[in-house]
Amino acid sequence: SGRVGVMRSSTAGGHAPPSRCNCHAAAMGLATAALLALLLFETSRVSASPERVLRQARHTRRRIGGSELRPFETPTDDSRLSAADITLLINSGALPSLSPPPPPSSLSPPSSRPPPTATALSASQAALVKYMVTLGFATAEAQAAVEATQPQSEREVHEKAQPWSLRRRVEANRAEFGSEREVVSFDHMDMDGYALRWGSDHIASSLADCGRRCLELTPEQPYYMPCNVFVFCPLEMCFAPAQLPKGSRKGWCWLKNQPDPTAPQVNMNGTDRRTQTGFVEWQAGVVVKKGSRVRTDIKSARASW
């Protein structure tokens, strides 16, 4: 079927006697060959794209099963060459193959399975994550540590999960402390963080003094954590939702550490209806590399407690 149709005789032996019908068939065969040669010349002359080739081919309509071939007939309807017509022209060499390349073998059909989801924490694990948050860890840090070490109690949090998390910061801690840093302070703000010095045992004369102490604190082994967050109470009483020692809190200077002091996690900021004054009484600050921009819009996990 890949050749242009040639009329065959139905007589025995396959040879038809000379007749006007055979002359007509021969003439049609010559016309067919001439047309295909012309198409081949045109497509090679213009380096036709597949779209141009199809436009060229649409000028020719061949009646499948018959012998009539009308060169350059303009179709009067919107019909296109059939698949059989295209195959006929390709096999005759008049048109290049227009088949798209096969897809890469490495591509596999899309899977109907849903993407894997994170493993849900058990109730006991969730409680231990919350306990780590009370120690000053961010929720993501606490969850990663609990999942990695599988503690079964608060004691095992201190023995397993907490050291696992702090060991991951050592190199970053050393690099941070070795950089040139500066103090940036904020009023009416309380920041979270892992406590290096408890405020009740560490009294400063002012916010500036508290910030200086944070800047100058020498990191200790084994985790070499630099102080990069400090919180100061300038009044007799500064409200905190956590249970703290009773009595005056004036001068309390908390020295803390967070993984990224340029984006510290904030416990309280601005106004607060829970306080006697209507605003957050604490003052806070960070110690960052010189020239760093600090954002204070990130709430800690304890902001809503």
Side-chain angles (χ1 to χ4, degrees):
S1 62
R3 297 181 177 83
V4 175
V6 177
M7 295 186 65
R8 298 181 181 274
S9 171
S10 60
T11 59
H15 295 284
S19 66
R20 291 182 61 188
C21 180
N22 281 353
C23 292
H24 178 71
M28 289 303 299
L30 291 175
T32 298
L35 176 59
L36 294 179
L38 180 60
L39 284 174
L40 181 60
F41 171 76
E42 287 295 326
T43 55
S44 62
R45 180 174 64 86
V46 298
S47 299
S49 63
E51 293 80 5
R52 180 66 181 273
V53 171
L54 285 176
R55 278 201 305 273
Q56 186 80 11
R58 288 194 189 106
H59 289 292
T60 302
R61 298 175 66 194
R62 185 175 188 278
R63 297 178 182 176
I64 304 301
S67 61
E68 183 177 2
L69 190 66
R70 299 180 182 179
F72 299 102
E73 177 186 24
T74 302
T76 56
D77 56 11
D78 194 32
S79 62
R80 299 182 177 182
L81 289 174
S82 67
D85 290 331
I86 296 293
T87 302
L88 180 66
L89 293 175
I90 291 173
N91 291 340
S92 67
L95 293 178
S97 174
L98 302 179
S99 300
S105 58
S106 60
L107 294 180
S108 56
S111 173
S112 58
R113 293 194 218 169
T117 56
T119 304
L121 294 174
S122 66
S124 60
Q125 287 179 318
L128 294 178
V129 167
K130 188 172 182 179
Y131 176 69
M132 281 196 72
V133 171
T134 65
L135 301 178
F137 291 90
T139 301
E141 286 184 298
Q143 183 168 336
V146 169
E147 290 178 347
T149 61
Q150 296 294 309
Q152 301 301 312
S153 63
E154 293 182 359
R155 178 178 178 178
E156 289 191 357
V157 166
H158 290 280
E159 294 175 349
K160 297 179 178 180
Q162 178 173 302
W164 180 89
S165 184
L166 296 179
R167 279 196 299 268
R168 302 175 72 191
R169 300 189 194 177
V170 171
E171 294 303 319
N173 289 340
R174 287 177 168 175
E176 181 182 347
F177 184 72
S179 63
E180 191 174 5
R181 303 188 299 160
E182 63 183 354
V183 174
V184 181
S185 301
F186 303 91
D187 202 8
H188 305 304
M189 189 176 298
D190 173 31
M191 294 182 181
D192 210 351
Y194 183 85
L196 304 175
R197 297 288 187 273
W198 280 65
S200 56
D201 302 325
H202 188 246
I203 306 300
S205 60
S206 64
L207 176 64
D209 181 37
C210 187
R212 179 186 57 78
R213 294 185 184 203
C214 183
L215 176 65
E216 296 176 354
L217 183 69
T218 301
E220 300 174 357
Q221 296 183 10
Y223 307 118
Y224 300 96
M225 302 176 72
C227 176
N228 54 23
V229 172
F230 57 95
V231 180
F232 178 74
C233 178
L235 306 176
E236 287 295 323
M237 181 58 62
C238 294
F239 170 78
Q243 293 183 355
L244 298 175
K246 296 181 180 180
S248 174
R249 296 176 184 171
K250 187 173 183 179
W252 282 19
C253 175
W254 291 80
L255 303 185
K256 304 181 179 184
N257 176 275
Q258 289 196 30
D260 184 4
T262 64
Q265 298 203 15
V266 177
N267 291 332
M268 298 181 289
N269 187 7
T271 59
D272 194 319
R273 295 179 180 179
R274 296 172 295 179
T275 67
Q276 295 180 355
T277 58
F279 58 85
V280 177
E281 294 116 342
W282 297 94
Q283 296 172 319
V286 293
V287 179
V288 295
K289 293 180 182 179
K290 281 193 173 181
S292 298
R293 297 182 61 181
V294 180
R295 55 181 297 185
T296 58
D297 59 335
I298 301 176
K299 293 183 178 181
S300 72
R302 290 194 277 187
S304 57
W305 288 10

